Amino acid sequence: MRIKTITLIAGAALVLTLTACEGGNKAGSDKPSAARSTEPTAVATTKAPDSDAEVGALPDMTGKGLQSAQDQAQAAGFYNLHSHDALGRGRMQALDRNWKVCGQTPAAGEHPADVKIDFASVKLEEDCPGKDQGASRPETANTMPDFSGKSVKVARQALDASTSLTVTDASPAGRMVLMESNWQVCTQEPTAGTKLDGQPVTLTAVKFDETC
């Protein structure tokens, strides 16, 4: 009887040992096969050309369409592109394909790639002026400038923003002056040279293809 009891105790101990080993293996199988990374996934980005130390060859764009000039400038590594109305009327180059290049600043040659490129432009059906008339934006005047022949838009830009400005059609038609860059100044009040000190300004104007 004693031998049988010892045998049963030994058998029970063996079963407990095997169960513990199996339990350990099972706990190990619950672990993930690989630790999940907490680092963010890398995303491919397009970086703007680093032009701090780069120099490129800027082509001569004179006579080219404005859109073509801009495309060729970018192909040469220049991205700081601007344009202005060479006739000094302050028009925006809303549709580049309708404009052509009369000149450029800086001229063709070797330049840092981040240099500002400014194209003096006119519409395709217009002739380039002998001198760029729109290279600089007029500064706010302290005395009344002579606006004769200038666009109403340029005249407005030269006056203080608080100035009360009235513009009327100089022709008998009595039209409304809506697109100010298409109208040229005929007369002005006060006269050129008058000190400006908040007084109202009056202009008369006709379209650029008309005579005052």
Side-chain angles (χ1 to χ4, degrees):
M1 178 67 67
R2 183 177 180 183
I3 295 174
K4 185 176 181 180
T5 301
I6 294 173
T7 302
L8 289 175
I9 293 173
L14 179 60
V15 170
L16 290 173
T17 301
L18 291 175
T19 302
C21 291
E22 289 177 358
N25 290 340
K26 184 176 182 181
S29 66
D30 286 341
K31 295 181 180 179
S33 57
R36 181 176 296 177
S37 173
T38 59
E39 295 295 326
T41 303
V43 179
T45 58
T46 302
K47 186 179 180 181
D50 183 5
S51 57
D52 290 342
E54 293 181 0
V55 174
L58 179 67
D60 183 4
M61 306 297 185
T62 304
K64 298 181 183 294
L66 180 57
Q67 183 64 63
S68 297
Q70 292 174 338
D71 291 345
Q72 292 181 27
Q74 291 182 1
F78 298 91
Y79 294 87
N80 188 6
L81 306 179
H82 303 264
S83 62
H84 66 268
D85 183 356
L87 293 178
R89 292 167 54 179
R91 296 171 296 180
M92 300 292 292
Q93 291 72 59
L95 188 57
D96 296 335
R97 288 178 176 83
N98 289 344
W99 294 73
K100 62 185 178 184
V101 176
C102 295
Q104 64 188 57
T105 303
E110 299 288 329
H111 300 285
D114 59 354
V115 70
K116 176 182 175 181
I117 311 297
D118 191 7
F119 296 115
S121 309
V122 296
K123 289 191 174 183
L124 296 178
E125 66 273 14
E126 298 171 341
D127 295 327
C128 290
K131 180 181 179 181
D132 184 2
Q133 301 174 28
S136 59
R137 185 185 180 92
E139 297 182 359
T140 301
N142 294 320
T143 59
M144 186 70 171
D146 183 3
F147 291 133
S148 299
K150 302 290 181 63
S151 76
V152 173
K153 180 177 181 179
V154 169
R156 184 183 294 277
Q157 291 174 342
L159 297 171
D160 188 271
S162 64
T163 301
S164 298
L165 177 62
T166 302
V167 185
T168 58
D169 185 0
S171 77
R175 299 164 295 182
M176 295 185 65
V177 181
L178 298 177
M179 188 72 70
E180 293 183 341
S181 61
N182 290 338
W183 292 71
Q184 61 175 320
V185 176
C186 294
T187 65
Q188 62 186 64
E189 183 63 37
T191 58
T194 302
K195 179 178 175 56
L196 294 175
D197 190 23
Q199 64 268 51
V201 173
T202 301
L203 305 176
T204 66
V206 295
K207 292 190 175 181
F208 269 96
D209 57 355
E210 302 170 346
T211 303
C212 289

